[in-house]
Amino acid sequence: MIKAEWFYWLVGLSFLVMASQMVTDRSNPKRFGTGAFWGLIGAGFIYSSWVVTKQAPPEPLGAAVLVMACLAGFGFTGRGTPRTTTPEQRAASAAKLGNKLFVPALTIPAVAMACAIGVKHLSIGGRPVLQEGSETILGLGIGAVVALIVGMVMLREKRISVPVQSGRSMLEAMGWAMLLPQMLATLGAIFQVSGVGDQVGKLATSVLPEDSLYIAIVVYCVGMFAFTMIMGNAFAAFPVMTAAVGWPVLIGHFDGNPAAVLAIGMLAGFCGTLVTPMAANFNIVPAALLELKDQYGPIKAQLPTAGVLLGCNIVIMALFAF
Amino acid sequence: MIVLLGVLVVVIGFATKRNPLLVVGVAGIATGLLGGLSPGKVLAAFGDGFAGSRAVTIFAITLPVIGLLERYGLQEQARRLIARFAGLTTGRFLALYLGLRQIGAAVGLTNVFGHAQTVRPLAVPMAEGAAERKFGQLPDRTREKVRSFSASADNVGLFFGEDVFLAVGSILLITGFVNTTYGTHLEPLQLALWAIPTAVCAFVVHGWRLLRLDRQLERELLTAHVHNTAAVEAAQ
C-alpha cells in the first residue's frame, strides 16, 4: 500500500536538500536564516509522522514551529538570485519543443485524476493500493514524481539539481507564507480548547433579538463570514457559529432544514475565505507565486464577488431553508 | 470573556500590518495561557497543529517539475498556443477556466488544478497571451490585474465547486460535527445538494465579472496607447 506519509517524507527531504542549497547560496544576503527556516520545516515534516501516531512528543516540534515563526517574522529570511534561463533562451526553447512542453505539465492532473477515480478502487491481496482517504493527495504526489521523470527524459536533462534549484527559487519567493496555513490550523485548535467558541456563542445570543428569523439568518451568515476572515478558515468558524446561532436558534427555535442551514452557512464562510490574508494558501501564496507586487491583488479581485455571494447565501437560506 | 483577547490580538495585529506568522504565534500563545493551558500544552498544540495540517503544503512537491518546464519555456509556449485562438479573449478564457475548475472540484478533483500546478505555469501565460495578442505589450499594472483575476478564478471555482462533492472535507466536517454534537443523522448527499444554488450563483457572478474584465482591459489599454502615441507625436 502506498502511504501518504511517504510523500510527506519526500517533501520534507526535498526541503532539507533545498535548505542546504540555500545556506551555500552567496547571492542571498540572509542565507543562514533562510536555510534554517526551510531546514526546520523539512525536518518538521518528517518528525511529524511520529507525532501524528503519538510515538513522539509534540512539544519539541511546537518549539521548532515558534522558532520558524520568529525567523520569518523578524526578517531573518531572504532570497537569492535564481539561476535560470534568459527570456530569449526560453523563447527559442519553446519554439523548438512546441506543445511537447505541455506533456509533463498535464501529466500531473492526468495522474491525479486517474488515482482519484481508478486506482482508488484497486486493491492487491485485499489491501487497497492507495491509502484510504488520501487518494487525491497521493494522486498529486505520484503525478508530480511521474511528471518529473517524464520531463527529465523528454528534455534530456540529466542533472537532478536543475529542477531542485528551480523549485527552491519558487520556495524562496513564497517565503513565510508557506508556513501560515499550518500555523492557522494550530490557532484554530487552540481557540477551540481555550473556549473561544463558547464565549462568542454567549455574546451572539445575548445581542440577538428573539423571534426575528431574518436577523438570525443574517447574524449566522455574516458571523461565519467575519469569523472566517479572522481565522482564515471556514472550518474553524463553523463549529463556533453553529453552536452559537445555527443550531440552537435557526434549527432549534425556527425549525429550519438542518442540511440547508448548515451547508449554506459553510458557504457563507467560504465568502470570508476569499477576502482574508489569513487564508494565506489561497490569497497570499498565489500572490507570491505569480510574482505580484501587491500581495493583496487576489483579494482585491475577489472582494466584489465575495460580497455578492454572501448576499446570495443569505437570500437562498431565507427563501429555501424555512 | 478574557480568552477573546486572543481574537483581539489577531485583529489588532492585522490592522497594524504586523507579520502574520508572528500575529498568529502571539495570539495562539496568549489565548492558550489565558484559557488555562500550561506552557507545555501550548507548545504541544503548536506541534500537533503543524503535524496535522501538512496536507496544505504538499503542493510543494510539484514545484521542481514546474520549475524545470519553465526553464525550457513552458510559459512562453502557453502564450504562443493561446495566441492562435482568435476568439479567446482574457475574460472568456478565465471564465472557461472558472467553469472547468468548478466542475473538476464538484466531481472531487480538487487537486487537479491549483495555483502552483496550473495557474502559474499555464493559466496566467494564457490569460496574458490573449490580452497581448490584442493589445501588444501589457503595462505592469494591467499584468498584475490579469494575474490577480487568474488567481481569483481558481479560488472561486474551487470553493464553490467542492461542496457539491460528497467526500470533500467541509461536507464531512459538517456531518461529523453535527452528528456527534447533536446526535442527529445528516447525510452528506443532502448537504451537497444544498451547495448547488450557491455554486450556480458563484459561476454567474464571477463569470460575469471575468467577462467584464475584457472591457476594463480595453478601456485601460486603449487610453494608455493613446497617451503613448500622443507622447510620441509630441516628441516628434
Side-chain angles (χ1 to χ4, degrees):
Chain A
M1 176 166 88
I2 300 175
K3 290 190 177 146
E5 287 302 327
W6 298 355
F7 285 94
Y8 291 128
W9 294 343
L10 187 61
V11 173
L13 199 66
S14 41
F15 283 171
L16 284 173
V17 172
M18 289 173 188
S20 66
Q21 290 180 333
M22 289 171 190
V23 171
T24 53
D25 178 3
R26 289 181 187 279
S27 70
N28 182 354
K30 294 171 176 170
R31 60 196 171 113
F32 293 112
T34 317
F37 179 74
W38 290 102
L40 278 173
I41 292 191
F45 250 73
I46 298 168
Y47 182 79
S48 291
S49 293
W50 288 275
V51 172
V52 170
T53 55
K54 307 240 175 281
Q55 287 166 298
E59 288 87 354
L61 183 59
V65 170
L66 292 179
V67 172
M68 294 174 218
C70 289
L71 278 173
F74 292 115
F76 290 107
T77 57
R79 53 189 297 196
T81 322
R83 270 177 265 168
T84 182
T85 43
T86 64
E88 292 75 33
Q89 284 173 317
R90 272 181 248 170
S93 161
K96 197 179 90 192
L97 294 160
N99 289 336
K100 256 168 71 181
L101 272 169
F102 294 125
V103 173
L106 296 175
T107 303
I108 303 175
V111 172
M113 204 182 298
C115 286
I117 297 168
V119 187
K120 186 180 178 178
H121 305 290
L122 289 185
S123 54
I124 296 172
R127 299 185 61 188
V129 176
L130 302 177
Q131 186 181 344
E132 271 178 86
S134 303
E135 291 90 351
T136 55
I137 286 181
L138 283 172
L140 183 70
I142 297 170
V145 173
V146 173
L148 184 61
I149 296 168
V150 170
M152 291 190 69
V153 170
M154 202 188 82
L155 300 169
R156 301 209 182 86
E157 179 61 71
K158 293 192 186 65
R159 295 160 297 171
I160 184 74
S161 62
V162 170
V164 175
Q165 289 280 9
S166 317
R168 170 176 78 100
S169 301
M170 285 199 232
L171 277 193
E172 285 180 357
M174 281 182 265
W176 56 262
M178 282 283 285
L179 188 62
L180 190 53
Q182 289 187 262
M183 285 289 276
L184 284 165
T186 309
L187 184 63
I190 294 178
F191 273 19
Q192 195 80 7
V193 290
S194 307
V196 171
D198 299 337
Q199 294 298 337
V200 174
K202 281 186 197 146
L203 214 62
T205 33
S206 68
V207 297
L208 205 64
E210 264 180 61
D211 287 321
S212 173
L213 170 63
Y214 294 111
I215 291 180
I217 292 174
V218 171
V219 167
Y220 183 51
C221 290
V222 175
M224 276 298 294
F225 181 84
F227 216 67
T228 301
M229 279 185 65
I230 294 171
M231 301 291 297
N233 190 333
F235 293 6
F238 182 79
V240 173
M241 287 311 298
T242 301
V245 183
W247 193 270
V249 180
L250 290 177
I251 296 169
H253 185 67
F254 288 110
D255 202 25
N257 171 354
V261 169
L262 301 173
I264 298 167
M266 183 64 105
L267 292 166
F270 285 4
C271 297
T273 318
L274 288 175
V275 293
T276 175
M278 295 295 265
N281 46 332
F282 298 112
N283 297 329
I284 304 289
V285 170
L289 258 178
L290 304 179
E291 288 154 11
L292 296 180
K293 286 190 205 79
D294 179 7
Q295 63 166 338
Y296 297 124
I299 292 179
K300 285 176 188 160
Q302 285 156 191
L303 193 65
T305 302
V308 174
L309 285 182
L310 176 62
C312 289
N313 281 318
I314 292 173
V315 171
I316 293 169
M317 193 186 287
L319 286 180
F320 299 113
F322 296 91
Chain B
M1 289 312 274
I2 198 156
V3 295
L4 289 182
L5 286 175
V7 179
L8 201 65
V9 170
V10 175
V11 174
I12 292 175
F14 266 105
T16 55
K17 299 198 169 171
R18 308 276 168 204
N19 180 289
L21 277 185
L22 286 180
V23 172
V24 174
V26 171
I29 295 171
T31 310
L33 295 179
L34 290 173
L37 299 186
S38 68
K41 283 251 171 64
V42 174
L43 274 188
F46 274 101
D48 282 326
F50 180 90
S53 55
R54 283 172 298 160
V56 293
T57 310
I58 201 151
F59 75 89
I61 205 168
T62 61
L63 296 181
V65 65
I66 298 299
L68 174 74
L69 294 172
E70 286 187 356
R71 266 181 77 101
Y72 282 90
L74 179 66
Q75 294 201 2
E76 284 71 11
Q77 183 58 24
R79 261 175 242 269
R80 285 158 50 102
L81 181 73
I82 209 76
R84 281 191 223 145
F85 296 97
L88 210 51
T89 59
T90 304
R92 285 182 205 161
F93 168 72
L94 287 178
L96 184 72
Y97 184 85
L98 170 71
L100 284 176
R101 180 66 162 137
Q102 254 192 322
I103 292 168
V107 296
L109 303 173
T110 48
N111 282 325
V112 167
F113 297 85
H115 294 288
Q117 308 93 293
T118 29
V119 178
R120 172 180 160 133
L122 300 171
V124 161
M126 288 183 169
E128 287 184 354
E132 280 163 2
R133 184 171 45 77
K134 217 165 153 192
F135 305 109
Q137 192 70 25
L138 303 180
D140 278 353
R141 226 171 59 95
T142 314
R143 199 171 289 279
E144 289 249 326
K145 191 170 204 171
V146 171
R147 290 184 178 193
S148 297
F149 271 91
S150 307
S152 79
D154 194 270
N155 283 336
V156 173
L158 172 65
F159 293 178
F160 299 98
E162 65 169 7
D163 259 19
V164 180
F165 183 63
L166 310 184
V168 84
S170 55
I171 295 277
L172 297 178
L173 179 106
I174 297 174
T175 52
F177 173 73
V178 176
N179 291 351
T180 53
T181 314
Y182 302 110
T184 52
H185 189 74
L186 275 183
E187 285 292 333
L189 181 63
Q190 298 168 286
L191 290 157
L193 287 177
W194 281 107
I196 293 175
T198 308
V200 173
C201 289
F203 183 73
V204 171
V205 171
H206 204 62
W208 181 75
R209 290 193 58 224
L210 289 171
L211 291 179
R212 235 183 42 142
L213 180 65
D214 280 335
R215 251 181 293 160
Q216 289 177 19
L217 293 182
E218 200 157 337
R219 212 175 315 132
E220 266 177 35
L221 292 171
L222 288 183
T223 48
H225 280 289
V226 167
H227 279 298
N228 277 347
T229 17
V232 170
E233 278 166 8
Q236 284 168 343

